Amino acid sequence: MGWNREDWKKLVRTVAPGLATALGGPLWGAAVQSISQATLGRPDGSEEEVAAAVIAGGAEGLTKLKEAEQAFTIRMTELGIDLEKVHQADRSSARERESKTGDSWTPRVLAATIVGGFLAMVAAVLLGKVTGITDPVAAGMIGTLIGYVSAKADQVVSYYFGSSAGSAAKTEIMAKRRAGD
């Protein structure tokens, strides 16, 4: 196959960062189960089956990943697991690592490069510099690239400024509405 074991996790990280955070921690099993349900239609898919489904899913698969993330968030809320505390611990350990190493330049240069690259891509698209893309595959790849860089820029902003309270409130409202269905 043309993909490696970590490619599917990178894709999840880009499309559904909440699930990706869970994949790297104690909620790994629940996250894989949610992705399995969304992509395979059953919660008991193996990691290999889930990986293959995520990689081969295309645009429909990306939508299913977002739905899996929403279902996962609702499920964790129902179980009383505070995902924001899990995410906060993840950010805290990254900040702690930065302060322990004393390397303040590398994260700043990377952050500036990522945010600058995102802004340049958005400007190029809005100013009409990206033209002549009639091939659907090329257009899809460019859209995916923009989405990927956008997600990375969002991670940079979250790292330096934290996630918004509005985002947490939105997730809680969604969970309550879903529980009421």
Side-chain angles (χ1 to χ4, degrees):
M1 296 187 163
W3 51 274
N4 69 43
R5 184 175 174 86
E6 294 303 313
D7 285 345
W8 77 277
K9 292 178 184 175
K10 290 176 186 174
L11 185 59
V12 171
R13 201 173 301 131
T14 302
V15 176
L19 274 175
T21 300
L23 286 173
L27 300 174
W28 178 86
V32 171
Q33 190 177 45
S34 291
I35 297 169
S36 176
Q37 182 66 47
T39 58
L40 300 172
R42 57 187 171 85
D44 60 348
S46 69
E47 183 178 354
E48 289 74 23
E49 291 172 318
V50 170
V54 168
I55 295 295
E60 184 181 332
L62 299 179
T63 302
K64 287 180 178 181
L65 279 176
K66 284 307 282 182
E67 290 170 358
E69 181 175 43
Q70 292 169 349
F72 178 77
T73 301
I74 290 166
R75 183 169 171 221
M76 294 299 107
T77 302
E78 289 169 351
L79 294 173
I81 297 171
D82 188 350
L83 289 176
E84 184 52 36
K85 285 185 180 177
V86 173
H87 299 312
Q88 196 172 32
D90 183 51
R91 286 189 303 271
S92 177
S93 67
R95 290 182 183 126
E96 183 179 319
R97 180 220 160 267
E98 183 179 337
S99 67
K100 281 183 179 178
T101 62
D103 179 13
S104 63
W105 282 103
T106 302
R108 290 178 185 169
V109 169
L110 284 172
T113 302
I114 290 167
V115 173
F118 171 69
L119 293 174
M121 287 175 66
V122 170
V125 170
L126 292 178
L127 295 173
K129 301 295 182 189
V130 181
T131 60
I133 302 173
T134 56
D135 179 27
V137 174
M141 290 175 64
I142 289 172
T144 300
L145 178 64
I146 290 172
Y148 178 80
V149 175
S150 171
K152 296 305 166 194
D154 182 53
Q155 287 179 336
V156 168
V157 171
S158 292
Y159 176 80
Y160 282 102
F161 303 108
S163 64
S164 69
S167 176
K170 173 198 70 170
T171 302
E172 186 174 331
I173 290 168
M174 287 173 47
K176 286 180 182 176
R177 283 189 183 165
R178 180 70 180 199
D181 287 348

